[in-house]
Amino acid sequence: MKCLLVASESAEVLFYWADREFEQNIQDQYGPRQYEGDTYPAFEDSFNTLFAPLIISCSTLIEKINDTYTSFVTENTHLYILHQFGECLYIAVNGDGEETEADLRRKIYVMKKLIEVHFGMVTLNSALLRKELRPQDTEQRIQLWKMLQSLLETYSLLREQDQSFLVEAVERLIHPTLCEQCIEFLERRVVQQINGSPERAGEEVLHAFILVNTKLLAFYSSRNASSLKPSDLLALILLVQNLYPSNNELDDTALELSTQPVYSSSSSGGSIPIQRAGGRGGTSTNTTNSPSTTQEGPEVFYTPEPSPTGRESDAAEMEGKSTPVFQFVDPDVQMAEDSLKTQASQPPDPATPRRVFLEATFKEGYCPMMPHSMYCLPLWPGISVVLLTKIPHSQVAVSLYQFLEAFTVLEKKLSEGQEGGSLPRMQPPLSELRNKLDKFIRALGSNEIQFPQLQNTWTDFKNKAFSRAAQGTSRELLMSCRAMKTWLCAVYRHYFVVQSHRSPQRLSVSLQEKALAMMQEKLMDWKDFLLVKSKRNITMVSYLEDFPGLVHFIYVDRTAGQMIAPSLNVTDLSTTELGKGPLAHFIKSKVWSLVGTARRYLQKGYTTVTLRDGDYYFCYFLWFESETGYKLEGIELPVLSEDSAPIGMLAGDYYRKLLRYYSKDHHTEIVKCYELLTIHLGVIPTDCIVQHCCELAKKLWEPTRIPLL
């Protein structure tokens, strides 16, 4: 019984998502779905009927007392969470008790983030956002809502299964040698070739990265690129997972095979077991180009040997003399491999790239929602390369944001109640804003309807603000200021949202195919290894000798937005150190519970939490360090209200604000923020557990320094 609704103040449904149980509940109340015409289900009318009284009461409370309720529980134990963003009301509902207030509030904020990624600064104007979320064309509206619904379902699934989305941080695939090779390959063979090609249609590749399921293998940024915010990168990983979901059945099959010894003929004619290298501390000890090495110990994992390169490989394949790395004997496994090959042989999809809006700072200035084009090229199921490009005229977005910021400041000053028509003092001065905006409007030079209206509104504002003969009152200036903000957003929408649907301008299909083919050739010998590695990035076996009694840990570098944690696989096919069945699920539930507990205490200002839960001992630490690793003194953190933005990256970027708050008293040094969560067996002495946590933090410090170039 779950639902999420976005509505306008007039109770118009702008977006909804509901699970089957909630839909069935509505059908029981209002009858089965009815259809208008041949295609469009009028199911949203039932949503409107159900939620209209609640929406109207919220609007009335805001109008009368400038306040409203944020949560309540109905008689049938349905939990409602409400949050107002501008003129849009977000409502999340849970009726089965599986989600808490914090879960629903986080879902609301994540939904807002996803809408911002798709519509950019259009979200700053409620009237324009309503046009985008509720297009007049029925088919377009259905397609848009299905896409947003799918994104929300993908996020909910990942948050239940993936530790990186649980703590909202990017997880790197720990293999430094391959990571460095891929970064160099992305730079020299992919980005430079595309940016030097006449077929790029005016676009420039700024960022390129490789994903293996939800884990980041390699990331490259060009010299002209702005740094990519970790929360934006995590949102892009979510988008990629939604486009190309992980095939858990195939991954689990490969993982199950990896735990069994596989033999291959050696050069001396004997048979040797193929084993996986398992470096300590989450780092790989691989120093060659081969993904296959040996390791002492009871664990045996499969990694493919490198295929011959160049002409030798082609000749061997033509003669049929190439030795297979391994041969499936189980028909079910063979079927899975055939399915993998079938999917991998499909040609790249030449569809128009997805327009995304991400924070960026260029030489032209800063923009929190800079338009980019995102190309997602699937190499094989579970492995993709993503290209982020700078589009033509993107500098217009920087100018529009600067003007919007100036008018927002002016609007705030005017709304404070100044009498008369005198203009408040501003930085930059209004005279400078006037000159820049005059030049900007002249440079647009378009006959589109938005531009003459922007020019007329600007002329009206100048007459009221600068002309002594027709100087307006503060109220008139305030109304004219708001009109300017509306038309600036309209120009932004025209350039970067509307035109993205109309214009076929993009990287040519041949360029995309070349990039895809080069990456497939580069990673062909690694693909099976990478899929297994994504399921067993690091394992607890590597840590048990140094930290006896340690059950699990999560280490997060909040400055870089990256995390390290032993893999948790609890599917029926996979086998880990936790075993199969109830024990693995029990430990997983403890980890998820610990993260929720830590967030609740952090919200109250606590940076250290230690507690015993039955047979286990939980610890949570948050601390600050200098760039050289010197621990800085702790401070009293601000206490957050219950209805504040949830702690995380996707929902409000709490840690970024926390770093700014702490850095106020440390202007001369770069401040880093870290988190560590651990679960120990309860029989371990407390002082030993604390010592373990200190040593574990030191041990894990180095792997997070794998560069995001």
Side-chain angles (χ1 to χ4, degrees), residues 116-148:
E116 289 174 347
V117 168
H118 279 86
F119 299 114
M121 288 194 296
V122 173
T123 57
L124 302 180
N125 185 279
S126 299
L128 296 177
L129 181 59
R130 284 200 298 270
K131 292 182 180 180
E132 290 302 322
L133 285 178
R134 190 180 174 84
Q136 292 184 352
D137 182 76
T138 300
E139 289 299 326
Q140 185 180 352
R141 181 161 72 248
I142 293 174
Q143 184 178 4
L144 172 65
W145 286 8
K146 284 184 177 180
M147 183 269 293
L148 292 175

Side-chain angles (χ1 to χ4, degrees), residues 123-228:
T123 57
L124 302 180
N125 185 279
S126 299
L128 296 177
L129 181 59
R130 284 200 298 270
K131 292 182 180 180
E132 290 302 322
L133 285 178
R134 190 180 174 84
Q136 292 184 352
D137 182 76
T138 300
E139 289 299 326
Q140 185 180 352
R141 181 161 72 248
I142 293 174
Q143 184 178 4
L144 172 65
W145 286 8
K146 284 184 177 180
M147 183 269 293
L148 292 175
Q149 290 166 352
S150 177
L151 276 173
L152 189 60
E153 290 173 354
T154 300
Y155 164 74
S156 299
L157 181 63
L158 290 175
R159 189 173 177 274
E160 293 175 359
Q161 296 180 352
D162 198 290
Q163 294 180 93
S164 63
F165 280 86
L166 171 67
V167 299
E168 295 187 7
V170 178
E171 184 173 5
R172 300 297 301 264
L173 202 66
I174 306 298
H175 198 296
T177 302
L178 182 58
C179 174
E180 292 174 6
Q181 291 178 9
C182 288
I183 290 175
E184 183 179 359
F185 190 86
L186 287 172
E187 176 188 9
R188 298 183 178 180
R189 299 294 303 278
V190 178
V191 175
Q192 290 184 1
Q193 287 195 20
I194 292 178
N195 289 344
S197 171
E199 301 178 28
R200 61 188 178 96
E203 296 194 358
E204 177 188 358
V205 179
L206 300 177
H207 307 282
F209 55 93
I210 302 171
L211 293 176
V212 184
N213 293 318
T214 59
K215 295 176 178 60
L216 185 65
L217 172 61
F219 188 102
Y220 171 76
S221 294
S222 67
R223 294 180 179 178
N224 299 328
S226 169
S227 60
L228 188 61

Side-chain angles (χ1 to χ4, degrees), residues 407 410 421-424 426 429-435 437-438 458-472 477:
F407 279 105
L410 179 59
S422 61
L423 283 170
M426 290 179 53
L430 279 174
S431 58
E432 183 180 337
L433 173 65
R434 177 181 182 177
N435 295 333
L437 195 47
D438 281 336
W458 173 233
T459 302
D460 179 66
F461 178 86
K462 288 191 295 183
N463 290 336
K464 293 176 180 178
F466 303 107
S467 174
R468 294 183 179 179
Q471 195 170 38
L477 285 172

Side-chain angles (χ1 to χ4, degrees), residues 413-420 422-425 474-475:
K413 290 181 177 292
L414 289 171
S415 62
E416 288 174 353
Q418 291 197 16
E419 296 296 333
S422 61
L423 283 170
R425 294 182 179 180
S474 291
R475 180 175 178 80

Side-chain angles (χ1 to χ4, degrees), residues 520-640:
Q520 285 180 327
E521 181 181 2
K522 171 66 179 176
L523 296 176
M524 178 63 70
D525 299 327
W526 293 86
K527 63 185 182 74
D528 297 307
F529 166 79
L530 289 174
L531 290 174
V532 173
K533 182 70 173 173
S534 70
K535 290 293 184 180
R536 289 199 168 190
N537 197 18
I538 61 175
T539 61
M540 277 303 303
V541 170
S542 305
Y543 298 88
L544 293 181
E545 182 179 349
D546 295 333
F547 307 103
L550 180 64
V551 178
H552 193 73
F553 68 85
I554 301 177
Y555 177 80
V556 190
D557 180 348
R558 283 300 177 185
T559 308
Q562 300 178 31
M563 58 87 71
I564 295 176
S567 302
L568 279 176
N569 299 304
V570 295
T571 58
D572 293 335
L573 291 177
S574 62
T575 303
T576 68
E577 300 85 2
L578 302 178
K580 289 185 179 182
L583 178 60
H585 286 278
F586 178 76
I587 298 299
K588 177 178 178 292
S589 67
K590 290 295 182 182
V591 173
W592 261 244
S593 174
L594 171 59
V595 172
T597 301
R599 281 174 173 161
R600 286 194 297 272
Y601 279 100
L602 185 58
Q603 188 175 12
K604 298 176 182 178
Y606 294 93
T607 58
T608 300
V609 179
T610 59
L611 58 93
R612 186 181 297 274
D613 182 8
D615 296 329
Y616 299 92
Y617 201 91
F618 294 164
C619 293
Y620 167 76
F621 303 93
L622 181 143
W623 71 97
F624 300 93
E625 292 181 5
S626 65
E627 192 174 19
T628 57
Y630 177 76
K631 186 176 180 181
L632 304 175
E633 72 271 11
I635 61 171
E636 186 175 345
L637 299 186
V639 179
L640 305 179

